[in-house]
Amino acid sequence: MVLLSAQDSDNNINKISHAFFDRYPTLNSIVTSNIQELSSYLSTVTNYQNKTKWIHEIALSIQNETLIPLNMKDLLNL
């Protein structure tokens, strides 16, 4: 959610997060989705086109929850 909240209000992100995580409860559900579908859940977020693309690219690069980096350096590299 940090990626989404950049240049947007927490209030706005909180409004969309429930529906987004209901639809995409796992990293794999994001990986198997596409940018157009993801965009429909994020369209009210500031700069949603870029953020949607970044979320999808990050999910594709990680592929599996067990491979999510646990240190700041690797997280920032995503």
Side-chain angles (χ1 to χ4, degrees):
M1 296 317 296
V2 172
L3 190 138
L4 291 176
S5 64
Q7 299 180 347
D8 207 325
S9 68
D10 289 343
N11 188 41
N12 188 43
I13 302 308
N14 290 337
K15 286 179 186 177
I16 63 99
S17 62
H18 185 69
F20 182 81
F21 286 118
D22 280 349
R23 173 61 184 92
Y24 303 103
T26 65
L27 184 63
N28 189 55
S29 61
I30 295 172
V31 169
T32 59
S33 185
N34 61 59
I35 291 174
Q36 292 77 22
E37 186 180 337
L38 290 167
S39 291
S40 69
Y41 288 88
L42 304 176
S43 62
T44 63
V45 174
T46 302
N47 298 318
Y48 79 93
Q49 298 95 334
N50 288 332
K51 292 176 181 180
T52 301
K53 181 180 153 195
W54 296 335
I55 288 170
H56 196 247
E57 287 174 354
I58 289 168
L60 288 172
S61 71
I62 296 172
Q63 290 286 317
N64 184 312
E65 280 97 353
T66 63
L67 301 175
I68 294 173
L70 300 178
N71 63 66
M72 186 60 75
K73 179 183 174 198
D74 292 337
L75 285 168
L76 291 172
N77 283 332
L78 291 174

